[in-house]
Amino acid sequence: MTGGECYACAREGEFERLPAYERIAVDEHWRVVHAVDCALPGWLVLLPRRHLESLAELTDAEAASLGVWQVRLARALGEVTGCRKAYVAQFGEAAGFAHVHFHLVPRGRSGRWSGWGPGCSGC
């Protein structure tokens, strides 16, 4: 798949020009970005740096580092946002977004959860 067909790959191809919120943290396998069009500060997205559309396509090295990234990001969200926990979800069904990616969503201290999506503000 080319960068023109996949949003994540197109952005990865412009890595050096990306704004800070699209390269919060990075290593050889993963890139962390803040979700766009989101009403919830701290909503992060963890993306593999190469194109894949299924968890089964992860290399052993990518798989080994996935859990480490998720735990570190959950801890960072707790420190920065004060959230009690972070939810992790993986989707990839929207056109242009089949690229595997993981949402890390801070759950607020209120314990209220109003659901997924850009309008999520009661977390």
Side-chain angles (χ1 to χ4, degrees), residues 38-41 43 83-85 87 105-123:
C38 178
L40 183 62
W43 187 315
C83 68
R84 295 182 355 185
K85 62 172 81 173
Y87 294 111
V105 185
R107 179 177 182 254
R109 293 194 178 278
S110 70
R112 293 185 359 228
W113 176 248
S114 61
W116 292 102
C120 175
S121 60
C123 303

Side-chain angles (χ1 to χ4, degrees), residues 18-90:
L18 293 177
Y21 72 88
E22 288 195 57
R23 53 180 184 163
I24 295 169
V26 65
D27 72 7
E28 64 192 274
H29 302 299
W30 300 95
R31 179 167 57 99
V32 180
V33 307
H34 193 280
V36 296
D37 296 328
C38 178
L40 183 62
W43 187 315
L44 301 177
V45 180
L46 179 62
L47 300 138
R49 296 193 70 190
R50 67 181 184 92
H51 187 80
L52 53 138
E53 296 185 11
S54 168
L55 284 174
E57 297 174 47
L58 288 171
T59 65
D60 289 345
E62 290 165 335
S65 63
L66 173 60
V68 173
W69 270 107
Q70 290 178 338
V71 170
R72 286 181 180 166
L73 292 173
R75 288 175 182 158
L77 285 173
E79 290 176 23
V80 172
T81 71
C83 68
R84 295 182 355 185
K85 62 172 81 173
Y87 294 111
V88 178
Q90 192 260 326

